[in-house]
Amino acid sequence: MLPLFRLKLSKNQPELNQLNIESWQQPPLGEQRPSQGRRPLRSPNEYESPRRQPPQMRFAVRVVAISVAAFLASCCVIQRFISVQEPLLFPAEQVNKTVHHDNNHNVSFVTINKSSYALHAIRDGRSGNMGAHRVRVLVVARGAVDYKCRFPDGTVVDAEKSYEMSENHAMPFGVYFVNCETPANETVGGSLEFTQKKSPWVTLPVRYDIPDEKTVKDWKHQLTICLPFVFGDRYSGKSLVEFMELNRILGVEHVIIYLDESDIPANLSSVISFYENMNVLEVVRLRIPVASKQIWYHGQLVAVTDCLYRSMGVSRFVAFHDLDEFLIPQKPELLPQTAPLLALLNTVLVNNVASIRVPTQYMSLQDTGELITLKNTLQRSYTDKTLTKCVVRPEMIFEQGIHHTSRVIQDNYKAIAGDEDTLRLYHFKTRGGSKTDTRIVRDYGDRLTQRYREVVAQIGL
C-alpha cells in the first residue's frame, strides 16, 4: 500500500482553518472508488471519509503546492545571490580588451657601473623607524656604498648607509635600499639623479609615491597575490588557469605576475593574455641584470620588493607565494561560501597586525596532470613553520622577505605566526604524505572544475 494523505475536519470546530492531515491507505487493488458523477448526497457526519472531502483536499493541495513553490523560489534566490557574488568568468566588457603596457609594467635596471644597478626610486611619505621624508632607490650591487642623490633643484645629498635586505645570503650580488633624505627646499618629482663614487650621473624614474600609511582608507583591490618569477616550462597554461580560478573562488581579486625576458610556452602565454585582458592579472616584465648564480634565488627578492611597494595604497592585503601554492582556510564552515579567504583575513589582519606567516602544508604531488589540487590529497602529517609564506598589509611593511616579513615600518606593528588550525599554505610538491586531506575537493571541487573547464574551452587549450 502506498501512503497518501487525507483531510480530517475537526468535530469540535469544523472550520477550514482547523484541517488536520492524517495518513491513510489506498484501497486494495480491484476495489473501485465511487464515481464522482454518481456520488449520492451524504450527511455532514459522513464527511469523515477522505473520499468525501474534495473541497478540503483541493485546499490542502493548494497550500502544499504554494509552500513547495515558495521554498524552491527561495532556493533559487539564495543560489543566485551566491553566484552573483563570485567573480564572473568572462566579463563582457573585458574579454576583448587590449592591454597597453606602461612604464610601470616594463621595468629595467639602469647601470651605474659594472658592480651596481638601480631599478627605480620611491618617494616614501611614511614616518617610522626608517626615517621620514626619504627617497629610496632599489639597487642590486656587489658593494652598496658611497651613493649620492641629486634633486630637481640641484641639491646633492649623500646617501645614508645602505639598507641590506635580510635574504641576500652572502651571495656576490645583493639587494639593497639606498636612502636619501629629501632636503626641506626640495620636492620629489618624476625623476631623480643618482650616482655612486665617480660613476656618471644617471636618471632614475620615481615609480611609486607612498603615502603615510595611517591615511590610507580605501583600496582598489581587497586581496592581491604577488607571483614572483615564472621560469621556462615548469608551469603550463592549464596550471595557471587552475591557480587563477581557485584563488578567485577564495576571494583573490588581483594577481601580479613577474616574467623575465626568456621565452615561455605558447599555451602559458595565451592564458596570461586571457586574464590580463580581463584585468585580473597584471604582468610585470623584469630582467635581473646579473647572472642567476650570482644572486640569491634568481633575484626573486627584487620582484617581492617591487610588488610590495607597487601594491601600497592599491591593495588592502597582499599574499606572496608561488603557482603551486594555495592559501586554504581550515574552518570553512565558519566562513561565508563566497570569498572565504578574504573573510578570514579580515578577522586576522586587524589593528596593529601587519603580517601573518602562514604554515606550509606539503601535499604529495603524484598526479601532475590537470587539476592537481583535486587529484593529490595525500599530505604530510605535520606543517613546516620555517619555509612559510606571508600575507601582509603592504603600507605597514618596510621589507618583505621570501619566507617572512623582515621589517615593519613602525615599531608597534606586529608580524605574527599564523595558526595552522585556521589557515595553511598548501604546497603541492613531491615530498611524500601519509594522511588524506580532501578539504579542497570537498569545499571547492565542483565550482573549480566547472570554472576550469569553461576557461580552458574559452581559450582553446
Side-chain angles (χ1 to χ4, degrees):
M1 298 290 185
L2 297 176
L4 298 176
F5 295 93
R6 74 179 178 90
L7 297 170
K8 181 178 179 181
L9 192 62
S10 171
K11 294 181 179 180
N12 298 324
Q13 291 181 303
E15 293 87 355
L16 289 179
N17 62 358
Q18 295 294 325
L19 291 175
N20 298 315
I21 297 178
E22 293 183 353
S23 176
W24 72 295
Q25 304 294 325
Q26 283 187 341
L29 290 175
E31 180 179 325
Q32 300 296 320
R33 295 182 184 275
S35 169
Q36 293 284 339
R38 299 194 304 270
R39 186 177 61 189
L41 294 175
R42 304 182 188 275
S43 66
N45 291 334
E46 292 179 305
Y47 276 94
E48 293 285 331
S49 170
R51 289 170 292 178
R52 302 164 189 167
Q53 297 284 341
Q56 291 87 342
M57 177 67 79
R58 287 196 297 270
F59 175 82
V61 169
R62 289 172 185 166
V63 170
V64 172
I66 292 171
S67 300
V68 171
F71 173 77
L72 293 176
S74 66
C75 291
C76 293
V77 170
I78 293 172
Q79 180 60 39
R80 183 176 184 274
F81 174 78
I82 293 172
S83 62
V84 166
Q85 297 302 309
E86 286 192 358
L88 297 175
L89 278 175
F90 315 120
E93 71 279 7
Q94 294 177 349
V95 170
N96 297 317
K97 175 183 175 182
T98 300
V99 175
H100 300 283
H101 295 286
D102 56 30
N103 290 333
N104 282 352
H105 294 92
N106 292 285
V107 296
S108 58
F109 280 86
V110 176
T111 301
I112 309 300
N113 52 57
K114 63 181 181 180
S115 297
S116 185
Y117 306 86
L119 185 61
H120 51 233
I122 300 167
R123 191 197 75 82
D124 195 343
R126 300 172 295 176
S127 298
N129 52 34
M130 289 304 297
H133 309 294
R134 296 298 196 272
V135 174
R136 311 191 192 280
V137 179
L138 185 61
V139 302
V140 167
R142 190 184 294 273
V145 295
D146 297 329
Y147 289 100
K148 296 179 185 294
C149 298
R150 185 158 64 196
F151 289 84
D153 286 344
T155 306
V156 176
V157 173
D158 290 333
E160 300 165 351
K161 181 181 178 180
S162 297
Y163 180 91
E164 182 176 3
M165 303 294 181
S166 63
E167 293 191 20
N168 284 332
H169 298 293
M171 297 295 285
F173 280 86
V175 183
Y176 299 82
F177 262 139
V178 176
N179 303 298
C180 292
E181 184 175 6
T182 305
N185 64 323
E186 290 277 6
T187 58
V188 181
S191 63
L192 178 79
E193 292 186 89
F194 190 67
T195 189
Q196 182 187 34
K197 297 181 179 178
K198 296 181 180 181
S199 298
W201 288 90
V202 298
T203 301
L204 302 177
V206 179
R207 186 157 279 127
Y208 308 125
D209 189 1
I210 309 303
D212 183 337
E213 80 279 4
K214 294 180 286 295
T215 67
V216 180
K217 304 297 182 183
D218 190 28
W219 299 267
K220 180 179 179 180
H221 306 294
Q222 288 296 303
L223 178 55
T224 292
I225 293 177
C226 286
L227 197 59
F229 290 117
V230 175
F231 296 100
D233 58 358
R234 180 180 177 186
Y235 300 106
S236 68
K238 289 183 177 180
S239 64
L240 181 56
V241 173
E242 179 179 10
F243 178 88
M244 293 295 296
E245 292 309 321
L246 179 51
N247 278 297
R248 293 178 76 196
I249 291 171
L250 290 167
V252 175
E253 298 175 341
H254 185 226
V255 176
I256 303 175
I257 185 172
Y258 284 77
L259 302 176
D260 63 6
E261 294 180 353
S262 63
D263 293 334
I264 59 175
N267 62 3
L268 179 57
S269 179
S270 64
V271 174
I272 289 173
S273 297
F274 175 81
Y275 285 110
E276 194 178 15
N277 291 341
M278 287 178 60
N279 206 30
V280 295
L281 181 66
E282 180 179 349
V283 178
V284 180
R285 290 166 173 82
L286 170 67
R287 186 183 67 84
I288 301 300
V290 300
S292 61
K293 293 181 179 180
Q294 293 188 303
I295 190 170
W296 180 254
Y297 204 61
H298 308 282
Q300 189 179 96
L301 197 55
V302 175
V304 169
T305 304
D306 179 78
C307 199
L308 173 70
Y309 281 80
R310 180 181 294 266
S311 301
M312 291 183 183
V314 178
S315 186
R316 184 176 186 180
F317 305 127
V318 176
F320 296 87
H321 58 79
D322 296 322
L323 262 176
D324 54 1
E325 297 172 330
F326 300 84
L327 290 163
I328 304 299
Q330 297 299 291
K331 298 177 181 178
E333 66 277 4
L334 303 179
L335 300 168
Q337 184 182 23
T338 303
L341 174 60
L342 178 58
L344 175 59
L345 295 175
N346 273 308
T347 67
V348 177
L349 291 167
V350 295
N351 300 324
N352 63 341
V353 177
S355 169
I356 177 174
R357 291 184 69 183
V358 183
T360 297
Q361 177 66 70
Y362 290 109
M363 303 296 292
S364 180
L365 185 60
Q366 299 174 335
D367 188 332
T368 59
E370 299 181 45
L371 294 171
I372 63 169
T373 57
L374 304 183
K375 295 180 179 178
N376 297 279
T377 57
L378 281 181
Q379 66 172 208
R380 280 192 172 183
S381 59
Y382 58 90
T383 59
D384 188 334
K385 296 180 176 63
T386 301
L387 299 179
T388 58
K389 294 297 174 71
C390 297
V391 186
V392 306
R393 296 159 74 181
E395 298 89 6
M396 301 170 74
I397 308 298
F398 178 76
E399 179 198 354
Q400 177 61 38
I402 297 171
H403 296 293
H404 66 281
T405 296
S406 305
R407 191 182 189 97
V408 292
I409 196 66
Q410 305 286 354
D411 291 338
N412 65 313
Y413 293 163
K414 294 181 180 180
I416 66 172
D419 177 10
E420 66 176 23
D421 294 329
T422 301
L423 180 64
R424 298 185 187 187
L425 180 85
Y426 282 41
H427 187 175
F428 289 83
K429 196 168 186 176
T430 309
R431 289 201 173 183
S434 58
K435 182 180 177 182
T436 299
D437 183 345
T438 59
R439 190 177 306 277
I440 297 178
V441 178
R442 181 194 66 202
D443 297 334
Y444 314 110
D446 290 343
R447 285 181 287 168
L448 173 58
T449 300
Q450 178 184 355
R451 296 175 72 93
Y452 172 85
R453 289 175 177 171
E454 290 184 22
V455 173
V456 167
Q458 176 77 7
I459 300 175
L461 295 178

